[in-house]
């Protein structure tokens, strides 16, 4: 990851939001020593879009001269390696409009326009005319669809493109109005973001690079959507974190642990509210101190009384105190 690269991406203007997201994630994967070559699967996952849509936006970035794609092949197996992305700020960068195709020599001199290359790689503008020089396959002259007659023999179905403009659509999983409402709820308003900056003691006029543009707002959205915090709770947690540190955080990632702790406390508080209060313990039974009175109560009541439960000594004690009568004892079988 390079701060200079991502700052460069943030400063670019005139791009569509998704195109700028793709550019930012490319710069986030840039290594000053080795370059930028994330796989399409990784890049599509980071941008939360399909690989087909990703290729469209890469083509747009290439068309406006912000990057150049260089395909790579393993010299031994001839299998395709992750594409090398040369970004516009790298030394010696040349826009794709003036770079000839390395395999068949086509380029700016043959009338290939930038707009023609917006949908794919530098050689896409002439792919319909000439087959692939490495593998000898391509699009037949009579083909009427966007799919080649046979997939690449080296990469199987990796080159088969599921276009986002496919007229056959799957049914919507949710009503359109609900989806539009969900998208509206996902946005972090300028007021909330300004309150967050104020709670952190940051001056909007002199923001550090990691607090500029849309990436920090997207980070705040994740605190809300993934951790379950409200916007007010996010601001309160940020203010509490700022009191513990003398300097404002360099970027939103520095507040991740504080937000995770706030979310954990919220879950614990909700769990305590859901728990039922414990019932008071039952009072302890009083010890029996007057055994003759206890057994006399059993004899005089209709409750079950085993004959062997009353000894001769207990019988004499009950009779001496007048607690029972001899007739009642005989009725209960006590001799």
């Amino acid at each position: 990851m390079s701060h200079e690269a991502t700052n460069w991406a943030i400063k670019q203007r005139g791009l569509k939001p998704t195109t700028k997201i793709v550019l930012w994630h490319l710069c986030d994967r840039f290594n000053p020593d080795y370059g930028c070559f994330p796989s399409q699967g990784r890049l599509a996952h980071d941008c939360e879009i399909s690989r087909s849509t990703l290729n469209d936006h890469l083509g747009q970035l290439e068309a406006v001269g912000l990057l150049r794609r260089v395909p790579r092949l393993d010299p031994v197996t001839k299998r395709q390696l992750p594409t090398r992305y040369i970004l516009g700020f790298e030394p010696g960068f040349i826009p794709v409009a003036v770079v000839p195709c390395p395999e068949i020599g086509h380029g700016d001199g043959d009338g290939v326009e930038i707009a023609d290359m917006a949908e794919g790689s530098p050689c896409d503008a002439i792919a319909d005319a000439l087959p692939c020089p490495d593998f000898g396959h391509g699009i037949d002259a009579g083909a009427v669809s966007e799919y080649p007659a046979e997939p690449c023999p080296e990469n199987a179905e990796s080159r088969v493109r599921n276009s986002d403009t496919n007229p056959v659509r799957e049914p919507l999983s949710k009503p359109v109005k609900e989806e539009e409402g969900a998208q509206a709820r996902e946005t972090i308003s300028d007021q909330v973001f300004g309150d967050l900056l104020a709670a952190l003691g940051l001056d909007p006029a002199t923001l550090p690079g990691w607090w500029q543009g849309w990436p920090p707002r997207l980070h705040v959205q994740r605190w809300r959507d993934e951790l379950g915090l409200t916007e007010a709770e996010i601001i309160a947690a940020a203010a509490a974190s700022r009191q513990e540190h003398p300097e404002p955080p360099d970027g939103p990632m520095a507040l991740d642990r504080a937000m995770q702790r706030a979310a954990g406390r919220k879950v614990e508080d909700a769990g305590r509210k859901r728990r039922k209060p414990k019932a008071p313990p039952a009072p302890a039974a009083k010890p029996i101190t007057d055994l003759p009175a206890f057994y006399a109560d059993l004899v005089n009541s209709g409750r079950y009384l085993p004959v062997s439960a009353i000894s001769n000594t207990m019988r004499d004690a009950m009779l001496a105190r007048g607690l029972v009568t001899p007739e009642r004892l005989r009725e209960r079988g006590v001799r």
Side-chain angles (χ1 to χ4, degrees):
M1 182 176 67
S2 169
H3 294 305
E4 294 181 2
T6 52
N7 287 340
W8 172 81
I10 291 170
K11 293 176 183 177
Q12 303 309 309
R13 294 292 181 265
L15 300 175
K16 293 181 179 180
T18 306
T19 308
K20 195 164 185 177
I21 289 174
V22 172
L23 179 62
W24 189 90
H25 279 290
L26 270 173
C27 293
D28 188 48
R29 295 284 175 182
F30 174 76
N31 185 301
D33 295 327
Y34 300 103
C36 177
F37 36 86
S39 66
Q40 281 204 348
R42 166 56 62 185
L43 201 54
H45 174 76
D46 289 344
C47 301
E48 300 184 58
I49 56 178
S50 67
R51 292 179 62 172
S52 172
T53 305
L54 173 68
N55 280 313
D56 289 339
H57 291 288
L58 288 173
Q60 293 173 24
L61 291 169
E62 199 169 33
V64 297
L66 293 178
L67 64 85
R68 181 157 56 91
R69 290 177 284 182
V70 179
R72 301 187 304 149
L73 293 177
D74 188 301
V76 178
T77 65
K78 299 299 182 182
R79 293 190 177 275
Q80 187 174 9
L81 299 175
T83 301
R84 168 75 160 90
Y85 296 92
I86 303 177
L87 302 171
F89 63 85
E90 295 187 57
F93 172 79
I94 302 176
V96 71
V98 296
V99 177
C101 179
E103 298 293 341
I104 48 182
H106 288 72
D108 192 43
D110 287 316
V112 179
E113 299 292 338
I114 290 178
D116 294 332
M117 293 182 283
E119 294 298 327
S121 65
C123 299
D124 281 349
I126 55 172
D128 292 339
L130 295 175
C132 173
D134 284 333
F135 306 111
H137 64 281
I139 299 178
D140 294 336
V144 296
S145 70
E146 65 177 348
Y147 301 102
E150 293 182 359
C152 175
E154 294 294 329
N155 301 298
E157 298 181 355
S158 66
R159 289 303 191 185
V160 178
R161 180 170 183 258
N162 295 322
S163 175
D164 287 348
T165 59
N166 189 344
V168 181
R169 294 286 184 179
E170 296 181 0
L172 294 176
S173 59
K174 295 181 180 179
V176 175
K177 289 186 177 180
E178 290 185 10
E179 289 187 352
E180 291 176 351
Q183 292 176 359
R185 287 193 299 271
E186 288 177 359
T187 341
I188 294 295
S189 65
D190 293 339
Q191 178 66 37
V192 172
F193 193 69
D195 293 343
L196 176 63
L197 296 179
L200 294 171
L202 292 168
D203 184 4
T206 58
L207 285 177
W210 284 105
W211 284 105
Q212 296 177 14
W214 60 265
R217 295 173 183 260
L218 182 61
H219 211 92
V220 176
Q221 281 182 217
R222 289 173 179 167
W223 292 340
R224 182 191 62 191
D225 300 338
E226 297 178 10
L227 297 181
L229 294 173
T230 64
E231 293 171 347
E233 290 169 342
I234 289 173
I235 294 173
S241 175
R242 180 67 178 87
Q243 292 176 357
E244 299 174 0
H245 300 86
E247 296 296 331
D250 294 335
M253 292 181 65
L255 292 173
D256 282 348
R257 289 200 174 184
M259 296 303 165
Q260 291 168 1
R261 288 194 295 267
R265 288 193 296 268
K266 182 177 180 179
V267 172
E268 291 176 0
D269 292 343
R272 280 195 291 267
K273 291 178 181 178
R274 285 195 298 267
R275 289 193 209 106
K276 295 181 180 179
K278 293 182 179 180
K286 295 181 179 180
I288 300 173
T289 56
D290 190 353
L291 287 177
F294 173 76
Y295 284 109
D297 181 61
L298 287 176
V299 171
N300 293 325
S301 68
R303 289 177 288 174
Y304 172 72
L305 176 67
V307 177
S308 59
I310 299 177
S311 62
N312 294 336
T313 304
M314 187 60 63
R315 178 199 61 196
D316 296 341
M318 290 189 293
L319 290 172
R321 293 174 55 182
L323 299 175
V324 295
T325 60
E327 292 79 9
R328 181 59 179 168
L329 287 173
R330 284 193 293 269
E331 290 176 2
R332 299 303 300 269
V334 178
R335 304 296 181 195

